[in-house]
Amino acid sequence: MRYHAVQPARFLARPNRFIAQVELDGREEIVHVKNTGRCRELLLPGRTVYLEQSGNPNRKTRFDLIAVDKDGLLINLDAQAPNQVFAEWARAGRFRPNLTLLRPETTWGASRFDFYWEDAAGAKGFVEVKGCTLEEGGLALFPDAPTLRGVKHLRELARAQGEGYACTVCLVLQMKGCRLFCPNERTHPAFGQALREAAAAGVQVLAMDCQVAPDRLELDAPVPVSLFPPSL
């Protein structure tokens, strides 16, 4: 996926989860943050961030904050991007061969999964996509805040797997260079436990990194997954 009219700015502050104050061309600008997560380790004063100019003249903010440079590591922060890059990747035949259907936002049971798919051999399944922006020492960690919704989705995926669907949780690492993905037990132990239970039920746990530039994001290569953090 590509962004348009992207330019760098200097991050100043984040008054709330929806907006940030940046310095752009020598002036202070209020911009929309395309990620309502905490991002506390990323959005630090003085860091370079990247903004996409909105094409909507009626918006209160002219720009969206879409990426941050974390000490030389460029991380995409667009919360909508993981689903989009997964869809592009899957439709290019890189998720499963011979897909005949890839439908977003499909309800099953008590959950709405990100994607439902079918292939020419008659297989069918669900995919739940999670965007990951937290990196520590080469480890990609998810979640960066407790996510009851994420736990619910994992349990529903395990149940669907037991009823004959082929289910996947895809962790989209919105960065390049991580050596390992693991659940963030420190932040939300219940998510790690639910991930292990889902994997034991047959749900595929897939972590994919991305090629990141200020004006684009592309799903790239698999990253090894550990269901337990290295310290456990």
Side-chain angles (χ1 to χ4, degrees), residues 27 29 51 66 87 93 101 155 174 177 201-202 206 220:
R27 68 181 187 280
E29 185 90 25
L51 314 176
I66 57 172
L101 176 66
R155 290 174 176 163
Q174 294 170 253
L206 177 64
D220 190 34

Side-chain angles (χ1 to χ4, degrees), residues 11-32:
F11 181 80
L12 299 176
R14 190 180 185 185
N16 60 53
R17 61 182 183 150
F18 300 105
I19 62 170
Q21 298 166 333
V22 303
E23 182 183 314
L24 175 65
D25 297 331
R27 68 181 187 280
E28 185 175 311
E29 185 90 25
I30 302 297
V31 301
H32 174 242

